[in-house]
Amino acid sequence: GTSTIPDGEWPGREVALAAEWLVDASPPTPGEAAGDPDRTKPGVDELDHAVVRLAEPIGAMPIGAHAGVGAPTRGWVEFPDPSMPCQQGMPLIIVQHPDGGPMKMALDFQSVLFVNDTRVRYATRTEPGSSGSPCFDLEWRLVALHHYGDPAYRQAEFNQGIPVRLIQERLPNTR
């Protein structure tokens, strides 16, 4: 049979980092760090991300704190086909945990404003503390990693992400 996931807010579960926790990382550009993201064009070693290894295979665990036998597992987000880029005008769904709070989703049907070799700018709104959130297309394919909000946040015109294919290219055994 099939199982269903009940509605409502579930308590989260903290998971420790593995002993060899850091898989890959790179800094933002100096301009992004200073609140001036357009100062220089980011290079492929300025992707503002960290990929970490957890101590437990959380994706193989059941959803919910009290999930019983037959409960669905969390699962894993797969890397997409690297030939499938973000394109101007495409929709984006951003799944975020603002400041570590409960999961929230943001959707914009004409989101992507600008794409270059190392950044994607989009109109999909996020809340403060949402850096590191995955950005998906409407088929739930991972396309970017949210990392930056417009420094004019009171009248924000964009959010910004890293094309996930660039992070994928840095990791062994993901191509």
Side-chain angles (χ1 to χ4, degrees), residues 29-39 148-152 158:
T29 67
E32 288 167 342
D36 182 9
D38 296 326
R39 184 186 308 169
Y148 194 83
D150 186 343
F158 68 90

Short mmCIF file of all heavy atoms in Angstrom, two decimals, residues 29-39 148-152 158:
data_model
loop_
_atom_site.label_atom_id
_atom_site.label_comp_id
_atom_site.label_asym_id
_atom_site.label_seq_id
_atom_site.Cartn_x
_atom_site.Cartn_y
_atom_site.Cartn_z
N THR A 29 32.74 36.13 -3.60
CA THR A 29 33.67 37.14 -4.10
C THR A 29 33.88 38.18 -3.00
O THR A 29 33.04 38.34 -2.12
CB THR A 29 33.11 37.86 -5.34
OG1 THR A 29 31.97 38.63 -4.95
CG2 THR A 29 32.74 36.88 -6.45
N PRO A 30 34.99 38.91 -3.04
CA PRO A 30 35.17 40.00 -2.07
C PRO A 30 34.03 41.03 -2.15
O PRO A 30 33.58 41.54 -1.13
CB PRO A 30 36.50 40.63 -2.47
CG PRO A 30 37.26 39.51 -3.13
CD PRO A 30 36.20 38.71 -3.86
N GLY A 31 33.51 41.30 -3.35
CA GLY A 31 32.39 42.22 -3.50
C GLY A 31 31.13 41.72 -2.82
O GLY A 31 30.42 42.48 -2.15
N GLU A 32 30.83 40.42 -2.99
CA GLU A 32 29.65 39.85 -2.33
C GLU A 32 29.80 39.94 -0.82
O GLU A 32 28.85 40.28 -0.11
CB GLU A 32 29.44 38.40 -2.77
CG GLU A 32 28.96 38.29 -4.20
CD GLU A 32 29.03 36.89 -4.76
OE1 GLU A 32 29.76 36.04 -4.21
OE2 GLU A 32 28.38 36.65 -5.79
N ALA A 33 30.98 39.64 -0.31
CA ALA A 33 31.23 39.71 1.13
C ALA A 33 31.07 41.13 1.67
O ALA A 33 30.68 41.33 2.81
CB ALA A 33 32.62 39.17 1.45
N ALA A 34 31.34 42.13 0.81
CA ALA A 34 31.25 43.54 1.22
C ALA A 34 29.91 44.18 0.88
O ALA A 34 29.72 45.37 1.08
CB ALA A 34 32.38 44.34 0.56
N GLY A 35 28.95 43.39 0.35
CA GLY A 35 27.64 43.95 0.01
C GLY A 35 27.59 44.63 -1.34
O GLY A 35 26.66 45.38 -1.64
N ASP A 36 28.56 44.38 -2.22
CA ASP A 36 28.62 44.96 -3.56
C ASP A 36 28.82 43.83 -4.56
O ASP A 36 29.91 43.63 -5.09
CB ASP A 36 29.78 45.97 -3.63
CG ASP A 36 29.87 46.66 -4.97
OD1 ASP A 36 28.95 46.51 -5.81
OD2 ASP A 36 30.89 47.36 -5.20
N PRO A 37 27.75 43.06 -4.84
CA PRO A 37 27.90 41.83 -5.63
C PRO A 37 28.33 42.07 -7.08
O PRO A 37 28.84 41.15 -7.71
CB PRO A 37 26.51 41.20 -5.58
CG PRO A 37 25.60 42.35 -5.36
CD PRO A 37 26.36 43.30 -4.48
N ASP A 38 28.16 43.27 -7.60
CA ASP A 38 28.51 43.53 -9.00
C ASP A 38 29.92 44.10 -9.17
O ASP A 38 30.31 44.46 -10.27
CB ASP A 38 27.48 44.46 -9.63
CG ASP A 38 26.10 43.82 -9.68
OD1 ASP A 38 26.03 42.58 -9.86
OD2 ASP A 38 25.10 44.53 -9.53
N ARG A 39 30.69 44.15 -8.09
CA ARG A 39 32.05 44.72 -8.16
C ARG A 39 32.91 43.96 -9.16
O ARG A 39 33.60 44.56 -9.97
CB ARG A 39 32.71 44.71 -6.79
CG ARG A 39 34.08 45.38 -6.81
CD ARG A 39 34.84 45.26 -5.52
NE ARG A 39 34.06 45.69 -4.35
CZ ARG A 39 34.45 45.48 -3.10
NH1 ARG A 39 35.57 44.83 -2.84
NH2 ARG A 39 33.71 45.90 -2.10
N TYR A 148 22.52 34.48 -1.76
CA TYR A 148 22.71 35.92 -1.59
C TYR A 148 21.41 36.66 -1.87
O TYR A 148 20.70 36.33 -2.82
CB TYR A 148 23.78 36.38 -2.58
CG TYR A 148 24.33 37.77 -2.33
CD1 TYR A 148 25.35 37.95 -1.41
CD2 TYR A 148 23.83 38.87 -2.99
CE1 TYR A 148 25.86 39.22 -1.17
CE2 TYR A 148 24.34 40.13 -2.76
CZ TYR A 148 25.36 40.31 -1.85
OH TYR A 148 25.86 41.56 -1.60
N GLY A 149 21.13 37.66 -1.06
CA GLY A 149 19.99 38.55 -1.29
C GLY A 149 20.47 39.95 -1.65
O GLY A 149 21.56 40.36 -1.26
N ASP A 150 19.67 40.64 -2.39
CA ASP A 150 19.97 42.01 -2.80
C ASP A 150 20.34 42.83 -1.57
O ASP A 150 19.60 42.86 -0.59
CB ASP A 150 18.73 42.59 -3.48
CG ASP A 150 18.92 43.96 -4.10
OD1 ASP A 150 19.91 44.64 -3.76
OD2 ASP A 150 18.08 44.35 -4.92
N PRO A 151 21.50 43.53 -1.60
CA PRO A 151 21.88 44.35 -0.44
C PRO A 151 20.85 45.46 -0.15
O PRO A 151 20.78 45.94 0.97
CB PRO A 151 23.23 44.96 -0.82
CG PRO A 151 23.66 44.29 -2.05
CD PRO A 151 22.52 43.54 -2.63
N ALA A 152 20.05 45.83 -1.15
CA ALA A 152 18.97 46.81 -0.93
C ALA A 152 17.73 46.04 -0.49
O ALA A 152 16.67 46.13 -1.10
CB ALA A 152 18.71 47.58 -2.21
N PHE A 158 16.29 41.47 -6.43
CA PHE A 158 16.73 40.15 -6.83
C PHE A 158 17.22 39.34 -5.64
O PHE A 158 17.53 39.86 -4.58
CB PHE A 158 17.86 40.24 -7.86
CG PHE A 158 19.15 40.80 -7.31
CD1 PHE A 158 20.11 39.97 -6.75
CD2 PHE A 158 19.41 42.16 -7.34
CE1 PHE A 158 21.29 40.47 -6.23
CE2 PHE A 158 20.59 42.69 -6.83
CZ PHE A 158 21.53 41.83 -6.27
#
